[in-house]
């Protein structure tokens, strides 16, 4: 597990990844665009979606794949979809106040005011969501700074690690299920749900 927090985090990620890496992002359309300037050799897009994107970065071959194209389910629904794999794990509800995370706040102090969070989100957070946000803050060591402030970087790191962990557990569970009868297909060999279905049909029907 590695976290990159500088303004050059995209470059740091590409430096860190080893040759022949295959990396999954749940909605590559977002992350893929952040990484497009780093020596893209090819990509497959559908509308605003990026299904797969290949890089040759400083001699290393790196492939980015979109797990959402293969398993079109929101990350927050993974624990319900894979109950056995998530049983007993401490998975907090994902809540990220995207609109509160302004560049100026991050570079100046990175100190957030708890009572101000959630009102500018689209849609505005409910009281239950704000309560959940406070619970998340209190579950992260050192994140609450005083009665009404929190460490924005620590919370963001928690949120990103939570997302990655949920994707890792859910994706591996999905792969294990697909490897078994009746599907018997390794999802690493396909890029989308329709291509998975087509592979199954070619193997078993046509």
């Amino acid at each position: 597990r590695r976290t990159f927090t500088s303004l050059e985090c995209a470059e740091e990620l590409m430096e860190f990844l080893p040759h022949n890496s295959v990396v999954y992002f749940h909605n590559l359309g977002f992350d893929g665009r952040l990484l497009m300037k780093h020596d893209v050799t090819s990509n497959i897009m559908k509308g605003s979606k990026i299904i797969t994107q290949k890089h040759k970065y400083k001699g290393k071959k790196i492939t980015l794949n979109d797990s959402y194209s293969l398993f079109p389910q929101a990350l927050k629904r993974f624990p319900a979809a894979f109950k056995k794999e998530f049983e007993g794990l401490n998975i907090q509800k994902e809540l990220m106040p995207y609109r509160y995370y302004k560049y100026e706040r991050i570079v100046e102090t990175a100190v957030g005011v708890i009572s101000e969070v959630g009102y500018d989100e689209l849609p505005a957070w409910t009281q239950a969501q704000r309560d959940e946000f406070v619970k998340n803050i209190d579950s992260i060591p050192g994140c609450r700074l005083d009665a009404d402030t929190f460490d924005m970087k620590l919370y963001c790191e928690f949120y990103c690690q939570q997302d990655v962990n949920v994707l890792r557990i859910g994706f591996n569970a999905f792969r294990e299920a697909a490897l078994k009868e009746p599907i018997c297909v390794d999802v690493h060999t396909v890029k989308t749900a329709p291509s998975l279905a087509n592979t199954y049909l070619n193997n078993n029907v046509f």
Side-chain angles (χ1 to χ4, degrees):
R1 179 185 294 175
R2 289 289 299 270
T3 303
F4 307 103
T5 59
S6 77
L7 294 177
E8 289 76 41
C9 57
E11 290 84 351
E12 289 173 357
L13 171 65
M14 297 299 282
E15 291 285 350
F16 169 75
L17 293 173
H19 177 54
N20 285 331
S21 291
V22 179
V23 188
Y24 285 88
F25 293 85
H26 209 59
N27 184 14
L28 180 59
F30 176 79
D31 303 277
R33 282 174 173 78
L34 295 178
L35 296 167
M36 267 185 179
K37 65 180 180 178
H38 298 298
D39 306 318
V40 173
T41 57
S42 66
N43 65 11
I44 298 173
M45 299 182 70
K46 184 177 180 181
S48 62
K49 280 185 178 180
I50 300 175
I51 295 170
T52 186
Q53 184 164 286
K54 294 183 183 295
H55 297 252
K56 191 165 186 182
Y57 182 80
K58 296 185 178 179
K60 298 186 296 184
K61 291 182 180 179
I62 297 169
T63 301
L64 313 180
N65 288 334
D66 181 26
S67 53
Y68 190 84
S69 294
L70 192 58
F71 190 71
Q73 181 99 269
L75 283 178
K76 65 183 177 183
R77 296 177 65 183
F78 273 37
F82 303 104
K83 291 179 182 176
K84 179 183 173 184
E85 287 77 10
F86 282 91
E87 186 177 357
L89 298 180
N90 184 24
I91 302 294
Q92 285 90 347
K93 189 174 179 181
E94 60 170 58
L95 276 173
M96 183 66 191
Y98 295 104
R99 292 172 67 86
Y100 189 77
Y101 272 68
K102 297 184 184 296
Y103 175 80
E104 295 77 14
R105 285 193 178 111
I106 290 292
V107 297
E108 288 174 8
T109 64
V111 173
V113 179
I114 297 170
S115 59
E116 294 177 356
V117 173
Y119 296 99
D120 292 334
E121 303 306 310
L122 295 174
W125 282 3
T126 63
Q127 185 58 51
Q129 287 175 302
R130 289 195 290 275
D131 292 344
E132 193 72 37
F133 177 68
V134 172
K135 275 189 191 176
N136 285 350
I137 287 172
D138 289 335
S139 73
I140 306 164
C143 191
R144 183 187 279 272
L145 301 176
D146 60 33
D148 197 33
T149 60
F150 71 102
D151 186 317
M152 295 177 69
K153 287 186 178 179
L154 266 182
Y155 188 85
C156 187
E157 184 174 345
F158 156 81
Y159 172 83
C160 291
Q161 287 186 356
Q162 187 87 346
D163 265 14
V164 170
N165 201 32
V166 168
L167 176 58
R168 178 182 61 81
I169 295 168
F171 185 87
N172 286 336
F174 178 62
R175 180 175 183 244
E176 287 299 317
L179 284 169
K180 296 174 184 174
E181 294 281 354
I183 301 174
C184 299
V185 175
D186 189 344
V187 296
H188 285 316
T189 64
V190 294
K191 295 291 188 288
T192 65
S195 64
L196 174 60
N198 188 62
T199 301
Y200 172 82
L201 290 172
N202 283 330
N203 291 344
N204 297 282
V205 180
F206 301 139

